[in-house]
Structures are given as structure tokens and as C-alpha cells.
């Protein structure tokens, strides 16, 4: 818990080291690392060509948390699937999307997801500290973006986030 709190604290401090980042390749690296240490491995689909400008270390932390949750919450789901893709919002801005078909959550409690120590599932069912999504929100906000989530119990969760300017081509979500 102390390590998680320290990590959350570090996410909000220090200067951003902006550079071009291949988010697709980074997501594949994170998924591969999670697969090596997981008791279950969902099918992972990552859209090619997702490129952003941002702080490489913070973006890796963001993906570790979002994909880590997707792996965790698809445990026990037949045909478990995790997707990383992009779409355009109503204003044409690129949103990056992390979606799974796992445990999901009650949309009525979506506002609690990004608050430290707020959990929507019991510790017995899914381990964790309730810090990961709070860290994700801070990372996204430090990059000048926003994040939102939708879920439905038993049908999975989808997280959309924006950050930095797009570099190169980003495929549209299917």
C-alpha cells in the first residue's frame, strides 16, 4: 500500500519529458509482460499505428494500470478479450480506448473509479489498492487530457482517454 501511495504521489510531480511514443508497441510490451506473470491470459488485440506525444514513463504507467485491470477483471471470463484502439470524439479529437469483456461495473458508481481507495469490487474477488485508476487520471490530466469510463456488470468496461497531440496515423476504432 505504501508503494502504491508513493507511486501515486510521483505521478503528480516532476517535469514531463515529452517525446514521440508508439502507444501500440508500448501496449504490446505491457501486455506481454502481464501475460508472463498472469494466472490467465486474455486474447489481446492492439490496433497498429497508435502514436502520441507524451512522457514515456508516465504513459507506460498508464497502460500498466489500464491493461493490468483489464487482465485482472477478465479472470474467469470465457473468451476473455482486451482491446486497445482509438476513435474520434464528437469534436474530432482522438480518444484512445482500452476495452475488456470482464466483470464490468455498475455505471451508477463510475464517478468513484478515479478516486484513490475507491473500489467497486470486493478485495476477495479482485485484489488491489484502489490507486491504479487514480494514477491513470493524474497522468492523463498532466498531459492535458481527460478520461471517462463505461461499464456494465458482467459485460466489461471501456476506458476512453485523450492526451497530447496525435503524431502520424491512428486507425479508427471498429
Amino acid at each position: 500500500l505504501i508503494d502504491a501511495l508513493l507511486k501515486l504521489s510521483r505521478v503528480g510531480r516532476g517535469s514531463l519529458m515529452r517525446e514521440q511514443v508508439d502507444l501500440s508497441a508500448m501496449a504490446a510490451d505491457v501486455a506481454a509482460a502481464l501475460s508472463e506473470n498472469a494466472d490467465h491470459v486474455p486474447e489481446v488485440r492492439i490496433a497498429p499505428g497508435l502514436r502520441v506525444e507524451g512522457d514515456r514513463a508516465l504513459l507506460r504507467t498508464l497502460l500498466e494500470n489500464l491493461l493490468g485491470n483489464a487482465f485482472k477483471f477478465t479472470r474467469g471470463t470465457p473468451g476473455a478479450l482486451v482491446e486497445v484502439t482509438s476513435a474520434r470524439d464528437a469534436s474530432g479529437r482522438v480518444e484512445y480506448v482500452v476495452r475488456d469483456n470482464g466483470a464490468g461495473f455498475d455505471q451508477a458508481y463510475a464517478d468513484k473509479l478515479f478516486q484513490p481507495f475507491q473500489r467497486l469490487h470486493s478485495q476477495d474477488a479482485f485484489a488491489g489498492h484502489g490507486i491504479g485508476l487514480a494514477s491513470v487520471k493524474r497522468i492523463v490530466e498532466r498531459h492535458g487530457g481527460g478520461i471517462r469510463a463505461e461499464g456494465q456488470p458482467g459485460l466489461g468496461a471501456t476506458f476512453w482517454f485523450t492526451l497530447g497531440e496525435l503524431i502520424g496515423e491512428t486507425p479508427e476504432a471498429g
Side-chain angles (χ1 to χ4, degrees):
L1 181 59
I2 291 171
D3 288 339
L5 285 170
L6 288 172
K7 193 171 194 176
L8 178 64
S9 173
R10 279 187 230 119
V11 163
R13 295 194 316 235
S15 60
L16 287 179
M17 307 267 298
R18 288 189 176 268
E19 61 181 292
Q20 293 184 23
V21 176
D22 182 339
L23 206 62
S24 297
M26 184 179 281
D29 288 345
V30 169
L34 289 168
S35 295
E36 289 177 10
N37 301 314
D39 57 353
H40 103 101
V41 180
E43 178 184 352
V44 179
R45 296 181 190 159
I46 301 170
L50 302 176
R51 299 187 59 73
V52 299
E53 184 176 294
D55 185 288
R56 182 176 300 277
L58 291 179
L59 293 175
R60 184 164 187 95
T61 298
L62 176 146
L63 288 173
E64 287 170 349
N65 281 298
L66 288 177
L67 291 174
N69 277 355
F71 270 57
K72 175 172 47 175
F73 290 109
T74 57
R75 188 180 68 232
T77 301
L81 175 63
V82 175
E83 296 176 293
V84 180
T85 188
S86 70
R88 295 215 181 254
D89 68 12
S91 68
R93 188 170 182 182
V94 174
E95 290 185 297
Y96 300 94
V97 182
V98 177
R99 176 182 299 122
D100 70 69
N101 64 345
F105 61 88
D106 186 334
Q107 193 64 34
Y109 301 107
D111 59 324
K112 293 185 176 206
L113 284 174
F114 302 105
Q115 297 174 14
F117 308 114
Q118 295 297 313
R119 297 177 46 86
L120 301 186
H121 300 279
S122 74
Q123 181 73 19
D124 293 337
F126 298 102
H129 295 101
I131 296 291
L133 290 177
S135 295
V136 166
K137 183 177 183 201
R138 286 188 184 180
I139 291 167
V140 165
E141 289 175 346
R142 289 209 54 210
H143 283 83
I147 187 165
R148 62 189 172 94
E150 288 184 12
Q152 195 169 3
L155 297 178
T158 304
F159 292 85
W160 289 270
F161 63 93
T162 58
L163 43 87
E165 292 298 315
L166 173 68
I167 298 173
E169 295 296 315
T170 296
E172 296 300 317

